[in-house]
Amino acid sequence: MLVKTFGSAVYGIEAITITVEVNIAPGTKYFVVGLPDVAIKESYFRIESALKNCGYRMPRQQVVVNMAPADIKKEGSSYDLTIATGVLAASGQIESEELDKYLIMGELSLDGGLQPIKGALPIAIQARKEKYKGFILPKQNAREAAIVNDLDVYGVENIKQVADFFNGTASLEKEIVDTREEFYNSLTAYDSDFSEVRGQENIKRALEIAAAGGHNVILIGPPGAGKTMLARRLPSILPPLSLYESLETTKIHSVAGKLSTADALVTTRPFRSPHHTISDVALVGGGSNPQPGEISLAHNGVLFLDELPEFKRSALEVMRQPLEERKVTISRAKFTVDYPSSFMLIASMNPCPCGYYNHPEKDCICPPGTVQKYLSKISGPLLDRIDLHVEVTPVNFSELSSERLAEKSEFIRDRVIKARDIQADRFGNKPDLHANAQMSPQMVREICKITTAGQNLLKKAMEKLGLSARAYDRILKVARTIADLAGSEEILLEHLAEAIHFRSLDREGWAG
């Protein structure tokens, strides 16, 4: 008897429906065809044990499993339940009339229980698109799939529940998630707040500008000055995710298997902080079975690279193209996948190996030339993609012990949202452009016009401070953002002066 069941394969953040055909004929062997990997070939042992332990039998005949389309490689153990259901139906142990209305996915344990799968959300979206009635999957993934409307999602704990459901002897409980309530309930639920930071008003201002214009930032300062603490609070002043952004971010985390059982949606902006020993592939994504890297997991959020010069140069260099294009393309011989990677980069570093170069109180003990060598670990092209260079100085005792409460993140966030609204109106006819930091050099010339006095100020600053040519566009972009925060249509002299202040690493002799 021939029976068809349906599963799904995830490529990038999109899903492709896989038809699993199970045919039982005279013979004794078990075959799986259609480009299965080792995990799928091993499914026979998991399925046989699971069926026996749940009171069913594995047919002692020839079982041929075909996974179509046969030219797409199928990977992972999440087809166990799809194949096992097909085997039960083909051997007459369950009814098969309703099978074609459901997508079925799950990894089987030897006792018939189910283990969670990756990519439940994109699979559910594809199931709805192809008009399936329902999606049967492990209980642990049910909430994540249930945010898709107009699709019945059933979370099951073992294969017996699935068999009883198709036999009509038991019903399954639908998982229901109110997507909008889930989304709005924890939209700004961050653990940390800027009000907890004593002093550091200059750095808070820099991060506010960065958040308002989507600019990348590098924080340079001695150990213990508060670089990491400030960076971790940046997501709390970014505009809340839109529902579309939330779904897009959740899809990436779903594919990577990073969603917890309790999570249905990623409702706050991601903050990823990889260790400096990270490999190139782990940072940008890829591998033999391509998975999203840290830059994609930070999509619509913040990627924080602590101690930037300690990262492998090759790992940093592979970020250059994704920073510009806001997506990363993983190419293999037979397929290509795209992962979105639109993130804000915030990096921190000590000014030298000992950490005390330019410190107001402690002396640097590094030998001559060491500071320059340390800074040169960061290539010019990467530094070119960072708009704000911020020097972080230690907080003095009076500020640290002050009882005065600092400004809360929500008030800073309100100003950032207003500035972003101005930019949304400005770039309304350009759907791929959302913030000042994304402007092309041509757009900078058109939008960031400055007065003659402004031109003179910029010229003097470039000559006196020894600013590089690449700093010119960056200063204009940042000045435009500062003007947006101030609600000014024109870029004024004070806006330019503040933007020039945030170009520390472009100054000649900074590490001389």
Side-chain angles (χ1 to χ4, degrees):
M1 184 178 176
L2 174 66
V3 168
K4 293 182 181 180
T5 54
F6 299 91
S8 197
V10 177
Y11 286 90
I13 57 169
E14 305 300 328
I16 301 168
T17 299
I18 302 294
T19 304
V20 177
E21 301 172 320
V22 181
N23 187 58
I24 295 181
T28 55
K29 290 197 172 182
Y30 176 87
F31 299 98
V32 185
V33 295
L35 284 184
D37 71 348
V38 175
I40 296 172
K41 288 175 182 175
E42 289 175 344
S43 67
Y44 173 80
F45 303 104
R46 291 191 295 273
I47 292 168
E48 182 183 40
S49 179
L51 294 182
K52 281 183 179 177
N53 286 322
C54 289
Y56 302 101
R57 58 181 170 80
M58 189 73 176
R60 292 295 169 225
Q61 295 158 283
Q62 185 189 77
V63 179
V64 179
V65 179
N66 177 44
M67 307 181 79
D71 62 338
I72 295 175
K73 188 168 178 60
K74 290 83 182 177
E75 295 171 317
S77 54
S78 54
Y79 298 100
D80 289 0
L81 187 60
T82 325
I83 297 169
T85 307
V87 168
L88 286 173
S91 59
Q93 298 177 74
I94 64 170
E95 298 294 328
S96 58
E97 285 83 2
E98 296 279 305
L99 279 179
D100 60 348
K101 296 178 182 175
Y102 294 88
L103 208 66
I104 304 166
M105 295 289 284
E107 178 189 331
L108 281 171
S109 296
L110 298 184
D111 62 356
L114 289 171
Q115 299 295 326
I117 62 171
K118 290 181 180 180
L121 178 57
I123 293 170
I125 291 169
Q126 186 65 20
R128 181 181 64 180
K129 196 183 291 182
E130 296 190 8
K131 305 271 191 300
Y132 282 95
K133 182 182 177 183
F135 182 18
I136 297 171
L137 76 168
K139 189 80 173 173
Q140 299 95 313
N141 300 111
R143 281 179 58 76
E144 156 190 355
I147 66 171
V148 178
N149 301 325
D150 305 322
L151 179 73
D152 294 345
V153 173
Y154 301 103
V156 292
E157 294 176 349
N158 56 60
I159 192 171
K160 192 172 188 318
Q161 288 180 308
V162 180
D164 290 345
F165 173 70
F166 285 112
N167 280 332
T169 57
S171 60
L172 292 176
E173 188 180 341
K174 264 200 302 187
E175 190 77 32
I176 296 171
V177 172
D178 186 328
T179 309
R180 295 193 176 275
E181 185 185 350
E182 188 85 19
F183 175 65
Y184 289 113
N185 272 357
S186 52
L187 206 52
T188 54
Y190 293 99
D191 295 331
S192 47
D193 195 278
F194 267 93
S195 62
E196 300 155 1
V197 181
R198 299 282 185 267
Q200 303 290 27
E201 299 306 323
N202 180 44
I203 295 88
K204 288 182 194 174
R205 171 66 178 169
L207 293 181
E208 180 181 337
I209 295 166
H215 301 287
N216 299 324
V217 193
I218 185 165
L219 304 174
I220 313 126
K227 303 185 294 293
T228 304
M229 178 189 66
L230 285 156
R232 289 192 180 280
R233 282 159 175 74
L234 180 59
S236 70
I237 63 169
L238 288 170
L241 287 169
S242 67
L243 187 54
Y244 173 78
E245 286 176 326
S246 179
L247 282 165
E248 192 179 36
T249 308
T250 306
K251 276 170 79 174
I252 298 167
H253 285 248
S254 171
V255 169
K258 302 288 184 185
L259 283 179
S260 70
T261 306
D263 289 333
L265 269 175
V266 175
T267 55
T268 55
R269 293 196 178 270
F271 181 88
R272 304 295 298 182
S273 178
H275 192 258
H276 62 76
T277 54
I278 192 169
S279 68
D280 307 6
V281 170
L283 187 62
V284 298
S288 56
N289 174 20
Q291 288 287 300
E294 288 291 335
I295 63 171
S296 294
L297 292 169
H299 180 60
N300 290 324
V302 176
L303 178 71
F304 176 48
L305 302 182
D306 201 3
E307 301 303 337
L308 189 66
E310 302 302 329
F311 281 79
K312 283 191 299 182
R313 191 172 183 120
S314 60
L316 295 177
E317 295 309 298
V318 291
M319 281 205 314
R320 280 159 49 178
Q321 189 180 5
L323 273 168
E324 288 290 318
E325 297 186 359
R326 302 190 176 269
K327 68 173 183 179
V328 59
T329 303
I330 311 294
S331 298
R332 294 291 177 266
K334 291 190 177 179
F335 62 89
T336 300
V337 297
D338 286 335
Y339 292 116
S341 59
S342 178
F343 59 90
M344 270 182 67
L345 173 66
I346 180 164
S348 76
M349 60 179 283
N350 293 331
C352 65
C354 80
Y356 295 106
Y357 180 78
N358 272 356
H359 193 282
E361 294 166 8
K362 295 187 180 181
D363 293 329
C364 174
I365 58 169
C366 297
T370 307
V371 178
Q372 188 61 50
K373 186 180 176 184
Y374 187 71
L375 291 176
S376 67
K377 288 183 178 181
I378 308 159
S379 70
L382 179 64
L383 206 57
D384 192 30
R385 287 159 174 80
I386 299 176
D387 297 345
L388 294 161
H389 306 161
V390 187
E391 289 186 65
V392 183
T393 51
V395 182
N396 60 44
F397 180 77
S398 60
E399 285 182 324
L400 203 58
S401 58
S402 171
E403 292 296 319
R404 184 174 62 87
L405 286 176
E407 190 175 27
K408 286 188 174 182
S409 288
E410 61 180 291
F411 301 126
I412 304 173
R413 186 168 60 243
D414 288 342
R415 294 197 294 270
V416 168
I417 291 169
K418 284 177 186 171
R420 286 284 182 112
D421 288 343
I422 293 169
Q423 291 162 58
D425 292 339
R426 180 181 299 138
F427 305 127
N429 60 342
K430 295 180 174 64
D432 295 332
L433 211 62
H434 305 290
N436 290 334
Q438 299 167 10
M439 285 191 288
S440 65
Q442 184 183 349
M443 291 187 71
V444 171
R445 300 287 183 277
E446 293 170 7
I447 292 167
C448 304
K449 288 188 167 66
I450 53 177
T451 60
T452 307
Q455 289 279 13
N456 291 334
L457 174 66
L458 200 47
K459 182 185 174 187
K460 285 178 184 174
M462 292 187 78
E463 289 171 355
K464 189 174 180 182
L465 301 173
L467 296 176
S468 65
R470 71 171 178 247
Y472 182 78
D473 277 2
R474 304 287 166 189
I475 288 171
L476 289 179
K477 284 183 186 180
V478 173
R480 180 65 265 169
T481 300
I482 295 168
D484 290 343
L485 277 168
S488 170
E489 289 186 16
E490 303 291 328
I491 297 176
L492 305 178
L493 285 176
E494 57 262 33
H495 304 149
L496 267 175
E498 189 173 4
I500 292 164
H501 170 68
F502 292 122
R503 294 301 300 181
S504 301
L505 293 181
D506 282 315
R507 298 176 192 169
E508 282 181 4
W510 191 88

